[in-house]
């Protein structure tokens, strides 16, 4: 993620200086990619055969963990590449949105703001991720202590961690549609204004329903792109 931002911050500054008209199309492409990623996750979840694939991968992963000769980083290289790719898109969205907030400031201030946000997002987000990933280790450590309350707390963490991971997976997929769809909606002013006008008449629920409408737009666009990508892949085969 730090390497991604080290590439993106100078690129964003150069684009803002020489090709400012390119920012919105790039945001739109990033939003569309997020929607595609979310749609692909849903398709994999609900298509026939995906459960068998997941079970097979889980069995392979268990065998790999038990075999000390297996390099787990190499074993999970495809998943890691996918995570790095998604982080690149999300980082680009964050940097471009931040750049838009300080577009009228001087170059030194723009550089300072983008660097500060990049560092805070990387350390904050992945610090939190590291903590979540290590929850099961914390639970196992506590479960091995002498005090009964520590053992009980450890068992509770071990029972809670899988449910937390599943919930984060669902929320992460929903966030892809909400963020990506929101970017697409605001990138087409006529659609964005129409949704805002509709939501304005709904009172206190207007903001929430406006976001949900953006998410539905993201879901529809992601499904279309996923269908096109699947069709192209079949034709290539």
């Amino acid at each position: 993620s730090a390497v991604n931002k080290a590439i993106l911050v100078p690129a964003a500054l150069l684009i803002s200086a020489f090709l400012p008209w390119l920012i919105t199309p790039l945001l739109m492409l990033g939003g569309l990619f997020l929607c595609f990623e979310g749609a692909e996750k849903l398709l994999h979840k609900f298509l026939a055969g995906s459960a068998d694939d997941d079970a097979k991968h889980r069995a392979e992963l268990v065998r790999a963990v038990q075999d000390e000769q297996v390099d787990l980083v190499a074993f999970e290289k495809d998943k890691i590449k996918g995570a790095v790719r998604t982080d690149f898109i999300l980082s680009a969205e964050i940097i471009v949105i931040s750049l838009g907030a300080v577009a009228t400031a001087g170059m030194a201030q723009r550089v300072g703001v983008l660097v500060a946000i990049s560092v805070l997002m990387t350390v904050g987000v992945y610090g939190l991720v590291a903590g979540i990933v290590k929850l099961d280790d914390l639970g196992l450590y506590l479960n091995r202590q002498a005090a009964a309350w520590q053992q009980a707390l450890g068992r509770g963490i071990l029972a809670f961690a899988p449910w937390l991971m599943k919930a984060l997976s669902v929320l992460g997929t929903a966030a892809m549609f909400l963020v990506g769809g929101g970017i697409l909606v605001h990138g087409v002013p006529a659609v964005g204004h129409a949704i805002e006008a509709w939501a304005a008449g709904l009172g206190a629920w207007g903001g929430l329903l406006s976001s949900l409408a953006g998410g539905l737009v993201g879901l529809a666009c992601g499904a279309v792109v996923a269908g096109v990508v699947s069709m192209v892949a079949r034709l290539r085969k």
Side-chain angles (χ1 to χ4, degrees), residues 9 12 14 20 23 35 48 82 106 108 117 122 125 127 155 183 188 219 227 229:
V9 168
L14 286 171
I23 291 176
C35 296
I117 288 174
T122 302
V125 170
R155 288 193 296 272
I183 290 169
V188 182
L219 175 61
V229 169

Side-chain angles (χ1 to χ4, degrees), residues 24-54:
T24 298
L26 288 176
L27 268 175
M28 296 282 284
L29 285 173
L32 196 59
F33 178 80
L34 290 178
C35 296
F36 162 69
E37 286 263 288
E40 203 173 38
K41 286 178 181 293
L42 288 181
L43 288 172
H44 177 77
K45 177 72 176 176
F46 294 110
L47 283 179
S50 61
D52 293 337
D53 292 340
D54 288 342

Side-chain angles (χ1 to χ4, degrees), residues 107-119:
M107 179 58 73
Q109 188 175 349
R110 275 185 279 171
V111 172
V113 168
L114 291 187
V115 170
I117 288 174
S118 297
V119 171

